[in-house]
Amino acid sequence: MINAITEDWTRTDVIMLRADQTGSLTQSALKPLVDHDDIFSCLSKTTATLGPNLKKFRYQVEEFIRILGLLDLAAGREEYINGVLGVFHLRNLLVDLLIEETGAPNRGGILHLNRLITDEQKDLLTSLPPAIPNRDSMISAHLAYAKAYLPRARARALRLGMKWPERFEVATWAKLSKTLSIQRPYDLG
């Protein structure tokens, strides 16, 4: 992979591959510049829809709950900078969930979020509080992300037939209630 940026900030990403390295690539994601062996014509036109990756989704849900549970430690240790990093991770997990909800076939690079999510999802993301390194902001941001993520993820898990990590979530809210006197910011209703 070669990334080049010209003086006027034209950005170019060049990938040089052998034929045996193209297994997961598709024509819709590439523009061949040099292809003496006509490898491009042998690639699939688009990515086949394989359906949701339940193992990955379960990991992401459990990771979200784990990071949320670390709020107790960050607050207790006054690690507000690390608390900001926690908010960053929660935000990334929410963005991944929102993209999965839209079923976007080709995610592209990091600067393609606008084409991958709906206007409603954009409104949700822009309504969430920023990560500010102080106790109250850190806690309120974690709770706002939990309110945005966990009900959506729970609904998706139900639609996909995935068992929700109920005991883990309940234990996490119990710990946060005991140590920080905060309650789950949403109803299961």
Side-chain angles (χ1 to χ4, degrees), residues 2-181:
I2 297 172
N3 301 103
I5 299 172
T6 64
E7 191 172 313
D8 68 349
W9 259 88
T10 300
R11 185 178 59 88
T12 304
D13 299 329
V14 178
I15 304 171
M16 293 177 277
L17 301 170
R18 296 183 315 268
D20 64 335
Q21 296 174 308
T22 62
S24 64
L25 300 175
T26 63
Q27 290 180 5
S28 63
L30 300 173
K31 178 181 178 184
L33 299 177
V34 177
D35 185 12
H36 296 296
D37 297 326
D38 198 30
I39 296 168
F40 185 76
S41 67
C42 298
L43 300 177
S44 298
K45 298 256 186 240
T46 60
T47 303
T49 304
L50 302 174
N53 182 336
L54 291 180
K55 184 176 179 181
K56 177 183 174 186
F57 179 49
R58 181 169 185 85
Y59 167 80
Q60 290 173 321
V61 167
E62 290 176 352
E63 184 66 359
F64 190 98
I65 296 169
R66 185 187 73 81
I67 293 167
L68 178 64
L70 292 174
L71 178 59
D72 163 55
L73 291 174
R77 295 177 182 169
E78 298 181 0
E79 287 282 352
Y80 306 129
I81 296 170
N82 280 333
V84 167
L85 294 174
V87 173
F88 171 78
H89 289 303
L90 296 180
R91 183 175 185 84
N92 284 340
L93 289 164
L94 176 59
V95 167
D96 284 345
L97 176 62
L98 297 176
I99 293 169
E100 286 299 315
E101 286 178 354
T102 65
N106 179 10
R107 290 179 66 158
I110 189 120
L111 297 177
H112 292 282
L113 184 59
N114 280 330
R115 71 175 172 78
L116 298 176
I117 62 175
T118 67
D119 288 340
E120 178 268 329
Q121 292 170 324
K122 290 174 198 171
D123 290 344
L124 171 65
L125 284 172
T126 58
S127 74
L128 293 168
I132 300 171
N134 67 54
R135 186 179 200 282
D136 291 341
S137 296
M138 177 186 69
I139 291 171
S140 65
H142 275 72
L143 293 176
Y145 279 93
K147 184 177 181 178
Y149 181 90
L150 290 170
R152 286 182 100 106
R154 183 183 285 266
R156 182 169 172 74
L158 182 64
R159 284 191 306 275
L160 298 175
M162 184 187 93
K163 187 174 187 284
W164 185 256
E166 190 70 38
R167 289 179 32 209
F168 187 25
E169 184 185 1
V170 168
T172 300
W173 286 118
K175 176 70 171 174
L176 293 175
S177 176
K178 180 180 178 184
T179 58
L180 298 174
S181 299

